[in-house]
Amino acid sequence: MENRYGQIRRFLDIGAELAEGKYGDADGRISALLEAIAQSRDLRELFTAVTKDFDYPAACAAYLKFPASPGAPHGVAYLPADRSRLLAFVFCLFAEFDAGKRKLDDFLLRYFYVDGSYTASYARFADRLVRPFMEIVQGCFRNVSPARAVGEGGFEELLSMIAGERTRLSPFDLPEEEREAAEILLEKLSEAAERHDGGMLRALLTGYRYFLRSFGGESERTDALFALAETL
């Protein structure tokens, strides 16, 4: 089962793909983004909080202007200055797109028009609406980085190596309190790896290195573990 950090990371990855991807893939990615919110308790709680008492129809009237000015052929979309309201507004827009109540292609040419091109209009939409939305959510979960940005494979390998340490330590004749300390260290290391928190990993591994040295528990495997952590 995907852990809470993995669920948030999945959301961040989909959002990055939505911001950087193509117009033709946008509808599917918006649906996937909303599904990722539904599957994460942390994200559900965030969007429940920001949408509580949020007047979406009033926000549409305030921030979606068509035409942009008298006689203008196209409209313009603004974003709320307040971060919570921005999250609520964009979330509700995405929900409308997903439900078919508002069509993305019409929305792009109405409010983000660039030379009649869906591709260029979508790029403007992604830059002015999707990216600010995702940056605020990322700021709410600073301990979680998008996997696609940091090299997920390295963290997955590190998680496997940390799990292997439990087996490797079994033959050592350690007092019970030291085994408990090792288990706590390995658990915290696993949590940091799951969050892709390289700084915390390296700090914990410093303690783990001294723990191993206290009874001669270092090996080539732990050397590899420490070396990999330095690259993340």
Side-chain angles (χ1 to χ4, degrees), residues 27 30-31 34 56-57 59-60 64 88-104 107 111:
D27 283 324
I30 288 172
S31 295
L34 294 174
Y56 178 59
C60 287
L64 300 179
F89 180 57
V90 177
F91 171 80
C92 291
L93 270 176
F94 285 167
E96 281 199 324
F97 294 144
D98 188 51
K101 294 180 179 179
R102 192 187 291 270
K103 299 298 183 182
L104 179 61
F107 185 81
Y111 298 109

Side-chain angles (χ1 to χ4, degrees), residues 210-228:
Y210 281 107
F211 169 75
L212 293 175
R213 286 178 178 174
S214 71
F215 63 91
E218 292 180 296
S219 71
E220 290 183 1
R221 290 180 61 179
T222 55
D223 289 344
L225 187 155
F226 297 137
L228 176 59

